[in-house]
Amino acid sequence: MIFMKNYAVIPFIIAVIMLLAPLGAFLGRCSDSDEPSSEKDSGYISVSDGKEDSYISVFNPSNNSVKKMEMRDYCIGVVAAEMPASYEIEALKAQALVALTYAQYVKDNNISENGDIAADSSVNQGFLTDDEMKEKWGGDYDEYHEKICEAVDAVINYRIYYDSKPIDALYHAISFGKTEDAETVWGKDIPYLKSADSSWDKQSPRYSSTTVFDSEQFKERCSKIDGVSLGDDEKTWFSDIKKSKAGTVESIKIGSVTLSGSKVRTLFSLRSPAFDLTYDNGYFTFKSYGYGHGVGMSQYGANCMALDGKKYNEIISHYYKGVSIVNIKK
């Protein structure tokens, strides 16, 4: 009642309320909550537009949901899923920076159909929850989690840029001894995704693998090729293998149809598009080299560089041509 007698204060109070109301609405939009919205039955969690650099909307295909996350938490989950936590800290920093940059690229270019990015390595990047990390690492959880957090925190404010924009920061597990040009694999010239030496990868115990098909199995896989005709002589079912300097099969003739190495990799479930193919007495043998598409940063190579004393920025500069590491918070 005493306050009400001081009429001169009323206009001031009203003005303060009007100023604070928009601020309260803004803070509400920026808050993050694990509680599902009323849209839970639709399979989605309601999120903001996700335009803040510090947040990203992550689509989980396993339960068809979208969750808004801090970029730091998302990156920790990606590094845990995509690179062995036993790798050197500088390699983990490089992986964290690559993961952040790739996520920013996908988000900025509206590539994902659901949310900003999919938590799926076959679509965008893998991701582990905290519970999944504990299950994966067991008694090493505390050590590995702290190590990955250290790596992420070292680069969280940085992105890899080319021509003033985040790059399509592709990476793979093991190269063929050299990384591959994006143009060779996908037919698109990308100036920063050029072949780079990664001869360390040949030291990997998983550098090569062998996959064998008998004649019937080989023929069954080939039946999925549109317009293919194999003929009666099994020895002629493939021919004319042409490779790039890095080792990717640029083209191979299967029966009457010419395919890229990437298509053959998918068709026969090979570990990479760099392979040799031989035939002997009813059996077709693929010997594959490396693991993954071969474009961008080799994770195994990054770890070898770190073991040789290289810092994360040197690893990035080696695998991505003409790029800059930019502090996005300045």
Side-chain angles (χ1 to χ4, degrees), residues 203-217:
Q203 304 169 18
S204 170
R206 300 194 301 164
Y207 172 68
S208 64
S209 61
T210 300
T211 309
V212 180
F213 296 89
D214 64 28
S215 297
E216 286 303 313
Q217 291 169 329

Side-chain angles (χ1 to χ4, degrees), residues 33 35-40 44-48 66-68:
S33 173
E35 292 297 320
S37 73
S38 59
E39 296 180 49
K40 181 178 180 181
Y44 288 88
I45 295 174
S46 181
V47 298
S48 76
V66 175
K67 182 180 180 180
K68 181 183 174 187

Side-chain angles (χ1 to χ4, degrees), residues 73-148:
D73 293 336
Y74 168 71
C75 189
I76 290 169
V78 172
V79 176
E82 293 284 4
M83 178 174 273
S86 59
Y87 274 16
E88 294 293 301
I89 187 66
E90 292 299 319
L92 290 166
K93 289 178 185 178
Q95 177 64 58
L97 180 53
V98 168
L100 286 165
T101 302
Y102 177 77
Q104 195 72 55
Y105 175 87
V106 172
K107 177 181 176 181
D108 290 351
N109 290 278
N110 298 312
I111 292 173
S112 179
E113 294 181 1
N114 298 292
D116 293 323
I117 198 165
D120 183 347
S121 59
S122 67
V123 179
N124 295 135
Q125 300 185 117
F127 178 85
L128 292 181
T129 65
D130 199 57
D131 287 341
E132 289 169 335
M133 292 179 213
K134 290 176 180 176
E135 182 178 353
K136 178 180 180 180
W137 297 327
D140 294 322
Y141 168 81
D142 289 338
E143 176 190 350
Y144 285 164
H145 187 266
E146 181 179 354
K147 187 178 179 183
I148 287 177

